[in-house]
Amino acid sequence: MSGNNESRLILALDVYERERALKIAEQTAEYLWAIKVNWPLIIGSGLGIVTELKDATGLPIIADLKLADIPNTNRLIASRVFEAGADYIIAHGFVGSDSVRAVMELGKTIIVVEMSHPGAKEFIQPAADKLVELANRLEPFGVIAPATRPERVAYIRSRLNSEVKILTPGVGAQGGKAGEVLKAGADYIIVGRSIYASENPRESARRLYEETMEV
């Protein structure tokens, strides 16, 4: 299963309603590399939405669960989510390598090394160096870094193994700019409200896609 391999755009589909989610996904699919689902959509529509989105669009699905529990609990959750069709699961790294490995043993994993909201500066950003070291040891598919702070993306890229991808949330509503963060070293940008809350999600996705193609 693969998306638009030229695209560097991931849609964060943070809505509750199943029908709305499917409609937006189908409208924007041709401009996306993948769709990211988070707790709001899974709680609102059930885990089956992962399967439905994958079947409807043919795109990879990233389950943004930010798993942060003991290895056995992470394993129990990840097992069901991968079975539902998720291609990637996002997990926190601060719980340690054993908890992250429990997810990685089941499928492709993305580790949070820094988040996009202001509060991330309090605790996660000071730990970013160690979280990057963790990612370099475990070699997941990718890491999460903040599009709202391109200088941090550049910093993380300079210390991260080159084969590990950087995915950056925070473009659009949170203030991050696609061009800036891609130039800083991001591989993919993650955009939510600027697409799904717009009057024309397809057109918004198209504009962002074209912006990323210019970098």
Side-chain angles (χ1 to χ4, degrees):
M1 191 74 65
S2 63
N4 180 340
N5 290 327
E6 293 183 351
S7 179
R8 304 171 79 178
L9 178 61
I10 298 169
L11 170 61
L13 198 48
D14 295 334
V15 300
Y16 290 117
E17 306 86 359
R18 171 184 169 275
E19 291 185 4
R20 183 183 175 201
L22 290 168
K23 181 178 180 180
I24 294 170
E26 290 170 356
Q27 288 174 338
T28 58
E30 70 176 283
Y31 300 113
L32 307 177
W33 176 73
I35 293 173
K36 183 174 78 71
V37 300
N38 205 327
W39 288 110
L41 183 55
I42 292 174
I43 291 171
S45 300
L47 184 57
I49 192 65
V50 171
T51 311
E52 290 188 273
L53 285 168
K54 190 168 181 178
D55 290 344
T57 66
L59 295 174
I61 305 298
I62 301 170
D64 185 5
L65 306 179
K66 293 187 179 67
L67 292 180
D69 217 311
I70 65 169
N72 187 59
T73 303
N74 272 6
R75 188 178 298 111
L76 289 170
I77 296 169
S79 176
R80 288 299 177 92
V81 176
F82 279 127
E83 285 174 9
D87 298 276
Y88 307 88
I89 288 178
I90 296 177
H92 269 298
F94 66 76
V95 284
S97 58
D98 54 350
S99 290
V100 177
R101 282 198 188 97
V103 182
M104 291 183 65
E105 288 168 1
L106 298 173
K108 293 179 181 177
T109 306
I110 299 163
I111 299 173
V112 177
V113 298
E114 198 167 324
M115 295 175 72
S116 57
H117 64 299
K121 295 179 181 179
E122 296 177 41
F123 300 108
I124 295 181
Q125 183 172 311
D129 283 349
K130 290 189 175 181
L131 293 170
V132 170
E133 290 174 10
L134 175 72
N136 285 337
R137 288 200 310 274
L138 299 183
E139 296 186 334
F141 170 79
V143 301
I144 296 291
T148 49
R149 293 185 287 281
E151 73 283 358
R152 294 297 300 167
V153 174
Y155 178 85
I156 290 166
R157 178 76 277 170
S158 71
R159 286 157 175 76
L160 186 68
N161 289 349
S162 60
E163 63 272 17
V164 179
K165 305 295 185 185
I166 295 180
L167 298 82
T168 53
V171 168
Q174 291 188 58
K177 294 181 174 25
E180 288 183 11
V181 76
L182 290 171
K183 289 176 182 176
D187 295 283
Y188 300 101
I189 61 166
I190 300 171
V191 183
R193 284 166 282 179
S194 293
I195 295 176
Y196 72 74
S198 72
E199 291 185 3
N200 189 332
R202 178 181 173 82
E203 179 62 16
S204 297
R206 183 191 66 78
R207 285 198 302 267
L208 280 159
Y209 169 76
E210 290 182 353
E211 183 180 348
T212 64
M213 295 300 288
E214 293 172 359
V215 179

